[in-house]
Amino acid sequence: MTTGRSHLVAQTQLSTEAPPDGRRPTGAKEAKPASGARRGSRSGSTSRDTLAGYLFLSPWCIGMLLLTLGPMLASLYLSFTDYDLFTTPEWVGLENYTTMFSDERWLQSVRVTLGYVLIATPLKLIAALAVAMLLVRPRRGQGFYRSAFYAPSLIGASVSIGIVWRALFSDDGAVDSTLSLVGLGNDGWVGDPQLSLWVLVALSMWQFGAPMVIFLAGLKQIPRDLYEAASVDGAGWWRQFRSITVPMLSPIVFFNLLLETIHAFQVFTSAFVVSNGTGGPAGSTMFYTLYLYERGFEDFRMGYASAMAWMLLLGVGLVTLVLFRTSNAWVHYSGDESR
Amino acid sequence: MTATIEQAAPGGAWNPTRRRRTTGSVIWHVAALAALAVVLYPVFWLVSASFKPSDDIIGNLQLLPTSPTFDNYSSAVEGIAGVPVLTFFRNSLIIAVGSVVGTVMSASLAAYAFARIRFRGRGVLFAMMIGTLLLPFHVLMIPQYIIFQRLELINTFVPLLLGKFLATEAFFVFLLVQFMRGLPRELDEAARIDGCGHVRIFWSIMLPLMRPALITASIFSFIWSWNDFLGPLLYLNDPNTFPLSRGLQLFIDQQSNSDYGAMIAMSMLALLPVMLFFLAFQRYLVDGVATEGLKG
């Protein structure tokens, strides 16, 4: 529901490669032994099965209609209206969409969010990969390390950690005091428009655990003999990393990149807490979702906020598309040789 | 696959001498512990700050409190805006437990239909389910709010729980579908030949076998709704209905006239159940993420 969870939601989902209707074992098995025993089981989907299917699926179907599809259509309609929640929506056509491009705060929120996505996502993935590579060789206590590094991913999006972050990066906070020891002190990161976004970048990086676990699983799939062969040929660590690890891991990199990017677009709780709901200082942490919330639930401009939500959907969709398109150039699907 | 790597390593080709291996391992542990210290520092800081006197929390680099005190906790327990922390705790608990019950029930039903029943339209519906995984919540937020506002359900837990009972979080449906596909088909086919209906197969065969996946789903569902902030921010305005996440936000808003130590202590209290859950179930959590992410 919230942005916090959507990353894990996303985290697990690439396995869409699995056929949408898990047809695999049925064909062969059902055809032979079962068909004799059960009348008319050839087609598989008897009307009884269909009835049962929809009965089992009924909570999901109701939820889909009432809480997902219905609201999607409603939000699309509202995005073409002026609506304050109390009077009837007034049709304004594309006005909400055109106003955005001259709305200084909207433009600022787009800049902040894009900047955040571009900085935070790669840094988080680099941290995740680095730690995953540290943990990939079996060592004593490996399970402990893996879990401990994963922990921040679970609590990072909570209000509690937002408060901790504010304290750590405030004036005289731990980060500032530590930097002062080496003469790099300032008046706190949270209050400085130049630095405040980095506070949230650091918080995002800190939650590298979820992509790390996925990298770890991917690294373990790379056959060991590739490295052995390479080191016999005299390839050093860096060369092995570049020529074996990166290409072999590229589908996993792509997977993590896609999900973390989508996740980064939707960051809300930490931005809200760190800036105390203001997006400040000087709009430097005015995230897109924060501005959407402000327009919708503080200014009651529900039509405008709906249009913003659809622009977010378009933006995320566009980025996903671009990532998929460019992925052909650098993602290697090794087919069967990985095993 | 993993097993072969693990077996190969101890006697592996590039561990020529035992001594070199020990040195390497010491260096590795030092590096890993150093990285861990950096990563877990904020958590240590929170725990320690919660025992420091209020004016000693900011501007003091010492990790351990010099004169530990429980004052923060005692003032945190009093709560904020006349609402005791216990109320926030109770509200969080109701929401989190309700989410777990709703999610497990509705998601396992839906997953059984997707994974085990062949019916017309399944492919399309499954594709829709996968599609919602990527849909930003913000697109649904405003109409959903309008619905619940019209139904006069603001300041109740219904808006936060209804979706859980209707399996709107596709993550959980997907997780359970993936798990169920891994269970042998022979089980339910044999049961069907013996005359079992879907209800019986689901209840007596599938549910017991799905326990590990159900545990994973329950833990994630609990932790996520415990940490959830946006939902309660939208639907709850009465402090008596606030869960801890909202209670904490209230603390920040009134920071000028309340003390910092209590806020930190309350943050600590809010994280405690999550930390305990994590310690108890981390194996399920970490494996859940890794395997579900990669299974194809």
Side-chain angles (χ1 to χ4, degrees):
Chain A
M1 182 165 180
T2 63
T3 52
R5 74 191 44 178
S6 61
H7 92 282
L8 248 167
V9 168
Q11 213 65 267
T12 45
Q13 73 71 48
L14 195 86
S15 11
T16 40
E17 299 154 22
D21 49 346
R23 186 166 296 174
R24 27 158 201 167
T26 39
K29 282 203 185 99
E30 229 163 69
K32 276 177 275 159
S35 62
R38 268 170 42 85
R39 18 114 246 175
S41 77
R42 215 290 351 108
S43 75
S45 74
T46 60
S47 62
R48 259 185 73 184
D49 277 344
T50 302
L51 182 67
Y54 282 97
L55 272 178
F56 273 88
L57 216 51
S58 54
W60 179 86
C61 284
I62 297 169
M64 189 71 192
L65 288 174
L66 288 185
L67 296 174
T68 307
L69 283 183
M72 269 184 88
L73 290 175
S75 136
L76 186 61
Y77 165 73
L78 285 176
S79 75
F80 299 111
T81 68
D82 192 4
Y83 181 49
D84 64 1
L85 197 62
F86 307 108
T87 53
T88 31
E90 187 191 334
W91 185 266
V92 293
L94 284 172
E95 196 186 296
N96 287 326
Y97 291 94
T98 49
T99 322
M100 270 178 222
F101 292 93
S102 50
D103 177 352
E104 212 14 79
R105 272 172 94 71
W106 184 79
L107 291 169
Q108 172 71 5
S109 76
V110 171
R111 276 194 296 268
V112 167
T113 307
L114 284 180
Y116 174 81
V117 169
L118 286 174
I119 301 165
T121 312
L123 286 179
K124 182 182 194 170
L125 292 185
I126 289 169
L129 182 57
V131 177
M133 291 190 63
L134 186 71
L135 297 186
V136 69
R137 290 244 222 119
R139 303 266 187 184
R140 187 174 300 181
Q142 189 197 33
F144 159 76
Y145 286 113
R146 201 177 60 148
S147 292
F149 280 117
Y150 178 71
S153 276
L154 278 180
I155 55 175
S158 66
V159 175
S160 301
I161 292 300
I163 289 174
V164 170
W165 233 252
R166 252 163 60 122
L168 288 177
F169 285 88
S170 67
D171 191 7
D172 278 341
V175 171
D176 191 23
S177 309
T178 311
L179 289 176
S180 297
L181 296 178
V182 288
L184 287 170
N186 49 51
D187 294 333
W189 294 47
V190 174
D192 185 339
Q194 303 287 320
L195 296 173
S196 53
L197 192 63
W198 291 91
V199 176
L200 288 152
V201 168
L203 180 48
S204 151
M205 245 181 111
W206 187 62
Q207 303 170 55
F208 63 82
M212 171 203 77
V213 170
I214 294 174
F215 273 138
L216 207 47
L219 285 170
K220 291 204 165 148
Q221 304 281 324
I222 303 177
R224 210 46 182 281
D225 37 346
L226 286 180
Y227 292 105
E228 275 161 28
S231 85
V232 168
D233 289 348
W237 178 86
W238 175 245
R239 188 64 210 260
Q240 290 183 23
F241 177 74
R242 244 184 46 215
S243 309
I244 302 172
T245 311
V246 172
M248 293 296 285
L249 204 61
S250 58
I252 309 286
V253 174
F254 175 65
F255 171 64
N256 274 333
L257 179 67
L258 184 68
L259 300 177
E260 291 302 330
T261 305
I262 294 172
H263 170 50
F265 267 104
Q266 299 177 50
V267 66
F268 179 80
T269 303
S270 32
F272 191 96
V273 175
V274 169
S275 77
N276 212 356
T278 63
S284 57
T285 58
M286 177 50 80
F287 280 83
Y288 196 90
T289 54
L290 218 54
Y291 186 49
L292 198 160
Y293 174 81
E294 183 190 299
R295 288 263 97 168
F297 294 93
E298 285 171 14
D299 308 340
F300 295 108
R301 302 245 346 236
M302 295 283 182
Y304 193 81
S306 298
M308 278 189 68
W310 275 88
M311 287 298 278
L312 177 67
L313 186 60
L314 280 178
V316 170
L318 200 69
V319 170
T320 309
L321 197 72
V322 168
L323 281 176
F324 265 104
R325 279 283 157 80
T326 56
S327 72
N328 293 334
W330 60 275
V331 175
H332 303 265
Y333 291 100
S334 51
D336 47 353
E337 68 188 78
S338 74
R339 227 155 226 271
Chain B
M1 174 76 221
T2 344
T4 49
I5 290 180
E6 267 154 20
Q7 279 156 15
W14 61 83
N15 287 324
T17 69
R18 192 167 172 91
R19 181 176 307 158
R20 219 165 104 200
R21 209 168 89 208
T22 322
T23 332
S25 152
V26 168
I27 293 172
W28 182 86
H29 278 283
V30 169
L33 283 173
L36 201 59
V38 174
V39 167
L40 292 186
Y41 175 80
V43 181
F44 293 140
W45 183 90
L46 175 65
V47 177
S48 142
S50 71
F51 294 107
K52 287 178 184 170
S54 229
D55 45 3
D56 207 19
I57 291 174
I58 298 279
N60 183 348
L61 265 185
Q62 269 186 318
L63 191 55
L64 293 178
T66 36
S67 47
T69 166
F70 278 98
D71 288 357
N72 298 329
Y73 285 99
S74 50
S75 45
V77 168
E78 283 167 28
I80 183 92
V83 184
V85 158
L86 214 60
T87 307
F88 297 143
F89 242 100
R90 193 200 60 201
N91 294 335
S92 281
L93 207 62
I94 295 173
I95 297 169
V97 171
S99 301
V100 171
V101 173
T103 301
V104 166
M105 277 171 35
S106 61
S108 58
L109 285 173
Y112 179 76
F114 281 133
R116 288 303 220 233
I117 308 178
R118 308 181 67 198
F119 59 94
R120 206 178 271 272
R122 182 177 66 172
V124 178
L125 294 177
F126 190 82
M128 278 167 72
M129 195 269 290
I130 294 296
T132 57
L133 275 170
L134 294 175
L135 186 70
F137 170 64
H138 304 86
V139 177
L140 312 174
M141 182 165 96
I142 287 167
Q144 281 190 5
Y145 179 83
I146 295 169
I147 295 172
F148 289 118
Q149 194 247 3
R150 287 284 154 83
L151 294 173
E152 296 186 3
L153 289 169
I154 305 298
N155 282 330
T156 71
F157 298 149
V158 177
L160 301 174
L161 291 178
L162 185 65
K164 311 288 162 79
F165 281 85
L166 298 177
T168 49
E169 270 179 274
F171 167 78
F172 294 112
V173 180
F174 184 66
L175 184 102
L176 297 181
V177 167
Q178 290 292 93
F179 187 84
M180 225 183 283
R181 278 181 181 161
L183 299 174
R185 281 244 159 211
E186 287 78 3
L187 286 172
D188 33 334
E189 264 151 29
R192 288 186 81 158
I193 293 167
D194 289 347
C196 285
H198 282 297
V199 175
R200 188 80 195 276
I201 296 174
F202 170 72
W203 187 257
S204 315
I205 299 177
M206 286 299 148
L207 271 191
L209 288 173
M210 268 161 52
R211 245 186 69 186
L214 291 177
I215 293 175
T216 304
S218 306
I219 303 161
F220 273 120
S221 180
F222 185 93
I223 292 178
W224 286 342
S225 57
W226 187 273
N227 283 338
D228 184 20
F229 174 67
L230 183 55
L233 180 68
L234 294 178
Y235 293 114
L236 306 174
N237 328 309
D238 175 4
N240 284 301
T241 63
F242 281 5
L244 275 161
S245 57
R246 281 288 269 139
L248 269 170
Q249 178 58 28
L250 202 63
F251 238 118
I252 303 179
D253 286 345
Q254 304 188 358
Q255 202 182 14
S256 47
N257 53 11
S258 70
D259 67 314
Y260 203 72
M263 186 167 86
I264 295 291
M266 208 170 139
S267 307
M268 185 60 210
L269 289 177
L271 275 190
L272 209 59
V274 179
M275 289 180 181
L276 292 178
F277 251 78
F278 175 73
L279 289 177
F281 296 109
Q282 34 94 5
R283 188 166 52 93
Y284 287 99
L285 290 169
V286 173
D287 290 347
V289 173
T291 52
E292 292 312 314
L294 290 171
K295 219 186 266 173

